[in-house]
Amino acid sequence: MTVKTRFAPSPTGFLHIGGVRTALFSWLYARHHGGQFVLRIEDTDRERSTQAAVNAILEGLDWLRLDHDEGPYYQTRRFDRYAEMADRLLREGKAYRCYCTREELEARRAAQVARGENPRYDGRCRDRAGPVPGMEPVLRFRTPTDGVTVVDDLVRGRVEFQNSELDDLILMRSDGTPTFHFGVVVDDGEMGITHVIRGDDHLNNTPRQMHMIRALGYPLPAYGHLPMILGSDGAKLSKRHGAVNVLEYRDEGFLPDAMLNYLVRLGWAHGDQEIFSREEMIRLFDINGVNASASRFDGEKLKWLNQQYLKSSPPDSLAGAFEWQLRRAGLDPGAGPAPAAVIEAYRERVATLRELAESAAYLYREPLQADDAAIRKHLTPAIGPPLALLATRLGSLASWTRTGIHDAMTAVAADAGIGFGKLGQPVRVAVTGGTVSPPIDVTLELLGRDKALQRLGRAVSLTGSGAVA
């Protein structure tokens, strides 16, 4: 058997963290077994589905490089097929027309709740002899009322459902459009899906869908229902715990491989290993190793993991994403040093590429945005002459390297009778506008001779010492 999994989001909003983990586990399971991964957009809810949401889903999966072998399929393009299969069930007596109004259904459910019963459709139209004039019926599935349906879940184990507790789900609405449940069954059957990996909020739908699958003669897929992802406080994951839209993490400067690495560990483990390459995830992952308990999302742990990827990834491989962050900040990547060199200098100091772009903005921005308090504290009249002398020495360097820069600063500090740090921090304020950067020789090397000398000259004038750079 060729393993075939699917990710089937509804385009009614952004691609959230829980959906990404579902897509990841389905993708990994297919890749681990040399199978196929299908992308299907379940857009039968035409009122709430939007093209913007479709685009966000596709963009998120593309950013994460969760590639699909088939699709994307769109359920709205398959309405004729759903109608055909629904008519077949009706002819075979496995479905029936229901004329109950919304008001009648709500009144009956309220009465069931008042009696302490599980609210569900009572089967009133199962044996109706004829139509109700002037009403367009829905089509309901005739669910077996006796026996037990067993779901041998790949994550939760054996789960039993009494058929007497299952109601007759609607297959086709009165306007002729299919419901989510019916579209899923037909699509999974006709697309040859062998393993359905999805959130455990769908577990109660599974026995109902299994009855439909059998009625249509499709092979039953294996099911694995993933537990919820909770916030760090144990509550349902929401924006107060951090971003839930995966594209927000891209915008914040997280790396896609770090994101997947973090999500794969929410409910799955391989010993104590924390960091996995994509190849390792594919080789080691199996759905049978997924924990049935809910996982907690920890934003600080994700930041730590992202920093490990920043530290270990070849700088050239991060250059494109870093340039994208610079442009988002209104900066021109061509107005400063090579991105790979900046990444090399800063990646021990930041957790995300967005932080890196913010920290290194002084390399690409003119005029320099300076911290007034830092200027008042460090660009004093006393430091003016050493800064002017340093500008002269740096201007005469044969080559602009951190070694030559360091030697020039050491000599100027000695001539001025001050420690290296007493010179280094004013220089840092002069050329970066703030008090934090990589080592000052590395900072000046990145900035380049022309910008460094220009900024030192401006700083000398700010000291009010009368010195000339």
Side-chain angles (χ1 to χ4, degrees):
M1 178 185 68
T2 299
V3 167
K4 199 171 188 181
T5 65
R6 48 78 158 176
F7 178 53
S10 297
T12 56
F14 50 74
L15 181 59
H16 57 81
I17 291 296
V20 172
R21 187 186 64 168
T22 297
L24 172 62
F25 283 13
S26 298
W27 182 84
L28 286 174
Y29 192 77
R31 296 289 177 259
H32 176 79
H33 291 282
Q36 294 180 307
F37 177 63
V38 176
L39 175 60
R40 186 171 74 226
I41 305 298
E42 297 191 337
D43 54 350
T44 55
D45 187 344
R46 293 190 291 186
E47 290 185 1
R48 297 175 59 220
S49 297
T50 66
Q51 187 59 46
V54 172
N55 295 342
I57 291 168
L58 298 179
E59 190 176 357
L61 294 175
D62 182 63
W63 174 61
L64 294 165
R65 292 189 291 120
L66 294 178
D67 56 314
H68 50 275
D69 303 295
E70 291 184 23
Y73 297 111
Y74 294 85
Q75 289 188 324
T76 48
R77 300 175 188 175
R78 292 173 47 80
F79 278 5
D80 289 346
R81 184 56 175 164
Y82 305 138
E84 182 182 340
M85 300 305 285
D87 287 343
R88 179 186 135 190
L89 292 176
L90 184 62
R91 291 194 308 271
E92 294 174 355
K94 298 173 182 176
Y96 61 92
R97 295 185 177 92
C98 173
Y99 293 87
C100 297
T101 66
R102 182 186 299 273
E103 293 74 20
E104 290 171 338
L105 293 172
E106 290 176 352
R108 288 179 214 154
R109 285 174 181 153
Q112 289 171 332
V113 171
R115 295 193 297 268
E117 300 173 3
N118 182 31
R120 59 195 178 92
Y121 181 66
D122 60 6
R124 188 159 306 200
C125 288
R126 269 186 166 226
D127 302 311
R128 180 183 287 276
V132 174
M135 283 191 64
E136 289 295 331
V138 300
L139 195 66
R140 287 187 182 270
F141 181 71
R142 197 182 295 272
T143 302
T145 56
D146 299 324
V148 176
T149 298
V150 176
V151 180
D152 288 316
D153 196 87
L154 298 171
V155 176
R156 301 173 64 95
R158 181 183 175 93
V159 186
E160 296 185 356
F161 297 86
Q162 297 295 324
N163 290 334
S164 60
E165 295 296 318
L166 306 177
D167 54 2
D168 294 348
L169 291 179
I170 296 174
L171 306 179
M172 303 291 286
R173 303 181 184 93
S174 58
D175 64 359
T177 60
T179 61
F180 157 78
H181 295 286
F182 191 50
V184 164
V185 166
V186 174
D187 287 345
D188 284 347
E190 298 200 340
M191 294 175 187
I193 303 302
T194 63
H195 293 76
V196 174
I197 298 171
R198 58 188 180 183
D200 62 5
D201 53 326
H202 288 289
L203 180 59
N204 288 336
N205 299 330
T206 301
R208 299 172 170 90
Q209 293 173 2
M210 289 170 65
H211 285 304
M212 295 182 199
I213 291 169
R214 292 188 178 108
L216 290 166
Y218 298 131
L220 274 177
Y223 290 93
H225 289 90
L226 307 177
M228 290 182 65
I229 299 176
L230 304 176
S232 56
D233 57 359
K236 184 178 178 181
L237 189 64
S238 66
K239 286 194 72 67
R240 66 190 177 88
H241 300 107
V244 290
N245 178 357
V246 71
L247 289 177
E248 290 184 49
Y249 286 95
R250 177 200 62 182
D251 296 349
E252 289 177 10
F254 287 87
L255 303 178
D257 282 1
M259 195 80 219
L260 295 184
N261 190 155
Y262 181 75
L263 290 177
V264 81
R265 291 285 285 110
L266 289 182
W268 176 83
H270 180 72
D272 295 327
Q273 186 172 343
E274 291 283 356
I275 298 177
F276 297 84
S277 67
R278 281 179 184 254
E279 292 73 21
E280 286 177 311
M281 283 191 275
I282 291 170
R283 177 169 53 85
L284 298 171
F285 180 83
D286 205 324
I287 192 67
N288 297 322
V290 174
N291 195 306
S293 301
S295 303
R296 297 197 180 196
F297 188 88
D298 184 343
E300 291 305 311
K301 179 69 175 291
L302 173 59
K303 274 192 171 184
W304 172 85
L305 188 62
N306 198 69
Q307 188 175 44
Q308 307 315 303
Y309 274 80
L310 281 177
K311 290 178 179 179
S312 61
S313 300
D316 285 340
S317 71
L318 306 176
F322 175 55
E323 289 181 8
W324 187 80
Q325 289 289 340
L326 289 174
R327 292 190 187 96
R328 287 191 76 240
L331 302 171
D332 178 7
V342 181
I343 293 167
E344 183 71 47
Y346 269 94
R347 59 184 177 172
E348 296 282 342
R349 300 168 172 269
V350 296
T352 70
L353 287 176
R354 182 175 176 179
E355 289 179 16
L356 198 160
E358 291 170 349
S359 297
Y362 70 90
L363 295 168
Y364 300 90
R365 177 180 288 136
E366 288 292 348
L368 181 66
Q369 293 182 357
D371 179 348
D372 289 341
I375 290 174
R376 288 193 297 272
K377 179 177 179 180
H378 295 283
L379 298 186
T380 62
I383 203 65
L387 286 182
L389 178 59
L390 178 63
T392 301
R393 296 275 179 89
L394 291 177
S396 64
L397 287 178
S399 60
W400 192 258
T401 64
R402 65 188 65 180
T403 300
I405 293 167
H406 188 275
D407 290 346
M409 290 187 63
T410 300
V412 168
D415 290 347
I418 57 176
F420 188 94
K422 294 291 186 180
L423 177 63
Q425 195 67 334
V427 172
R428 179 172 285 109
V429 172
V431 300
T432 72
T435 58
V436 179
S437 78
I440 191 60
D441 49 359
V442 175
T443 300
L444 288 169
E445 183 184 50
L446 284 174
L447 190 60
R449 185 194 304 265
D450 292 344
K451 280 187 180 178
L453 296 179
Q454 184 184 52
R455 293 181 183 183
L456 282 172
R458 285 202 301 262
V460 170
S461 65
L462 289 174
T463 65
S465 63
V468 178

